[in-house]
Amino acid sequence: MAEFVYPPVIGAAHTLFKALDIRIDMKGTENIPRKGGAVLVSNHIGYLDFIFAGLTARPQKRLVRFMAKESVFRHKVSGPLMRAMKHIPVDRTQGETAYQHALDSLRSGEIIGVFPEATISQSFTLKSFKSGAARMAQEAGVPLIPVALWGTQRLWTKGRPKNLKRSHIPVTMRVGEPIEAPSDQYAGAITRRLRERVQELLDAAQSAYPARPKGPEDSWWLPAHLGGTAPTAAQVKEAG
């Protein structure tokens, strides 16, 4: 079926990123399968993560259909775009419908994008992963593709004003080798293995990241364990 909306949206994103001089460093894209279904799994640190995670599939000429909260589809601007790009709305009170939609898409050869932390991590460290991605991969008989993003939080994240001006912000992305999800294994064990791999990729992305905070007032985007002033996971939980 022809794609009339998704490719132009990707083109517009590329134009915007070029205008903002966002310096993208993307490695491991050869791990995205050229054909067939897969579950692409990424960490979640900013509102634009689905755009950047989706870009990792473009070198292989693939499109990613993301599972996103249903409220995004009700927005007068984003809603029509999300539907036209065939992303999947998730109503948390009726999650089974979205799950079945994703399974059908995987079985028809689509790549489905999932953020297993469910919400943005305000500590910019990995939260616990929900097991839905592993269960989907098991049921559909497709691999999991681990992805780590770093730098996207500096553009637009929860609790911070968006920075969509020409700030020369680097964004680093790493894609790992496919992880099989055998149907005879416990989904929780696969999920733990998946999270460990995303953590390794995140560590690699952070090590390769070419920028450091310009001073104490600019250290908000760096996790506490790396010397920044982002709240720890415990502090985020306590603030509630």
Side-chain angles (χ1 to χ4, degrees), residues 65-174:
R65 317 296 180 181
F66 283 93
M67 300 184 77
K69 59 184 180 182
E70 197 261 344
S71 60
V72 177
F73 292 77
R74 292 200 303 267
H75 189 276
K76 63 181 180 181
V77 176
S78 63
L81 284 173
M82 295 291 282
R83 285 188 289 274
M85 289 188 282
K86 301 174 192 166
H87 296 309
I88 301 172
V90 179
D91 181 344
R92 287 178 184 168
T93 63
Q94 297 177 318
E96 189 56 39
T97 301
Y99 186 85
Q100 191 57 52
H101 184 169
L103 270 184
D104 292 343
S105 297
L106 288 168
R107 288 168 177 155
S108 69
E110 296 274 18
I111 296 178
I112 299 299
V114 176
F115 296 108
E117 296 166 280
T119 57
I120 288 173
S121 169
Q122 291 177 268
S123 67
F124 309 130
T125 59
L126 280 192
K127 299 162 66 175
S128 61
F129 278 21
K130 298 187 182 300
S131 63
R135 289 188 289 110
M136 279 195 300
Q138 285 181 301
E139 286 192 54
V142 301
L144 294 149
I145 311 295
V147 173
L149 309 174
W150 190 244
T152 63
Q153 75 275 30
R154 299 179 66 194
L155 295 166
W156 191 10
T157 193
K158 191 172 183 179
R160 302 284 308 187
K162 58 178 173 284
N163 179 18
L164 298 181
K165 56 181 184 286
R166 193 174 174 83
S167 300
H168 318 291
I169 290 173
V171 170
T172 302
M173 298 182 271
R174 295 292 182 264

Side-chain angles (χ1 to χ4, degrees), residues 3 8 25 29 35 38 40 44 64 95 110 117 123 134 150 152 161 179 185 205-206 215 223 238:
E3 296 281 350
D25 170 16
T29 58
K35 60 182 180 178
L40 185 150
H44 198 11
V64 182
E110 296 274 18
E117 296 166 280
S123 67
W150 190 244
T152 63
I179 295 172
Q185 288 188 15
Q206 289 170 337
E238 188 177 331

Side-chain angles (χ1 to χ4, degrees), residues 21-22 48 55 64 134 168 170 183 221 229:
D21 193 29
I22 294 173
L48 302 180
L55 287 179
V64 182
H168 318 291
S183 58
W221 55 268
T229 55

